[in-house]
Amino acid sequence: MFRVRASALVSGRQPAWCAGYLSGLLIGTEISANRHQIGNEPVPLIGSHVLCALYGQVLEMAGAAGRPVDATAVVLAGLKAARDAA
């Protein structure tokens, strides 16, 4: 985080660059920290198209795969399951 702040101050990096850099660091750290839990099956990716694409890229770099899942379909399925369980 300090590197990003310094880049913004010293190198004139724009907020969009800073946000993207931090996002990459967080995604990379998350995948790296949990790589031992990721099996051979594709990891379901639920979220925006852009974010899922980033996670997919990092998963590929780590030797795994991602599988985008429609967020609306997941929410509707969860709501239906909750209604049926009540």
Side-chain angles (χ1 to χ4, degrees), residues 21-35 55 58:
Y21 186 82
L22 284 173
S23 180
L25 286 176
L26 290 172
I27 293 170
T29 300
E30 180 181 7
I31 299 300
S32 175
N34 294 292
R35 182 61 185 105
Y55 269 91
V58 176

Side-chain angles (χ1 to χ4, degrees), residues 3-81:
R3 174 186 247 172
V4 173
R5 179 67 177 144
S7 291
L9 294 173
V10 177
S11 302
R13 298 284 188 181
Q14 297 300 311
W17 180 91
C18 295
Y21 186 82
L22 284 173
S23 180
L25 286 176
L26 290 172
I27 293 170
T29 300
E30 180 181 7
I31 299 300
S32 175
N34 294 292
R35 182 61 185 105
H36 65 283
Q37 296 179 3
I38 299 172
N40 295 326
E41 297 297 316
V43 177
L45 303 174
I46 304 168
S48 73
H49 175 71
V50 172
L51 195 55
C52 286
L54 291 172
Y55 269 91
Q57 286 179 318
V58 176
L59 284 165
E60 283 184 27
M61 293 169 74
R67 178 180 52 87
V69 178
D70 185 306
T72 301
V74 170
V75 169
L76 291 175
L79 291 172
K80 182 179 181 222

